[in-house]
Amino acid sequence: MQPPRRRRVGELSFVLLLVVFSLFMLWQAYSISKFESITSAGAFPMFATAVMVITGLLIAGQTARAKPLPGPDGESQWQQFLREITPGVLVGFTVSIAVYMALLDVLGFLIASYLFLVVSMWILGSRRIVLNFVVSALSLAAIYIIFQTVFSVVLPAGTVLKGLMS
């Protein structure tokens, strides 16, 4: 006989988010054609998302009934969640992406992307700072040449560079 399944930290929250997303998609599918007939444009999307909602609810029920896994050394569920679901690398990289998005308009594509590449390599574990600078510069040069010359894409210059050049 198989031992009862134990619930991992964050599993119930994830399943509930999937159910909410499935309900939203069902509403979106319904808004396509309001289910006028079985052959209408929204019939198959509504059927598929209804299956998503039903199976999501079944999985949510099973997950809610499962007992949570105990944390090591009496660790609370919240501490377990922080350790397993939001490790420092993930949080740091997410913050660096948000900062990059904010700086893109101010510093422009070249400077913001260069800083992002250097910082993200460091966050992801590369401690060879000189190599990070060189690889970032070469990567960005290749991206710039390809997009600027081959595809003729105008990359954002940023307000700081525009202010310095005016």
Side-chain angles (χ1 to χ4, degrees):
M1 186 158 110
Q2 202 173 26
R5 191 179 80 76
R6 302 298 294 256
R7 181 176 70 222
R8 297 192 58 147
V9 65
E11 186 178 354
L12 183 59
S13 303
F14 181 74
V15 170
L16 292 175
L17 282 174
L18 285 177
V19 170
V20 169
F21 174 74
S22 299
L23 287 168
F24 172 74
M25 292 309 295
L26 179 61
W27 177 69
Q28 288 294 314
Y30 177 75
S31 67
I32 290 173
S33 67
K34 308 281 191 264
F35 194 68
E36 296 165 354
S37 73
I38 196 74
T39 59
S40 66
F44 182 74
M46 283 178 47
F47 172 74
T49 54
V51 169
M52 286 172 52
V53 170
I54 292 167
T55 55
L57 289 171
L58 291 173
I59 293 169
Q62 291 173 354
T63 305
R65 284 190 298 276
K67 292 184 179 173
L69 281 172
D73 299 328
E75 193 176 54
S76 72
Q77 288 287 311
W78 180 247
Q79 290 168 324
Q80 239 182 315
F81 181 83
L82 289 176
R83 181 178 48 80
E84 289 186 29
I85 307 299
T86 58
V89 171
L90 177 66
V91 172
F93 196 71
T94 303
V95 168
S96 70
I97 291 172
V99 170
Y100 171 64
M101 290 172 22
L103 291 179
L104 194 57
D105 193 39
V106 177
L107 297 178
F109 177 78
L110 288 176
I111 296 172
S113 297
Y114 182 74
L115 292 173
F116 172 73
L117 287 173
V118 170
V119 168
S120 62
M121 281 188 229
W122 185 79
I123 289 172
L124 293 174
S126 176
R127 297 295 180 245
R128 294 188 255 169
I129 195 74
V130 173
L131 182 65
N132 292 355
F133 284 130
V134 172
V135 169
S136 296
L138 292 174
S139 300
L140 199 55
I143 290 168
Y144 184 78
I145 290 169
I146 290 170
F147 279 90
Q148 194 73 20
T149 58
V150 176
F151 296 130
S152 299
V153 173
V154 178
L155 300 171
T159 55
V160 170
L161 286 179
K162 285 180 186 175
L164 292 175
M165 292 182 184
S166 326

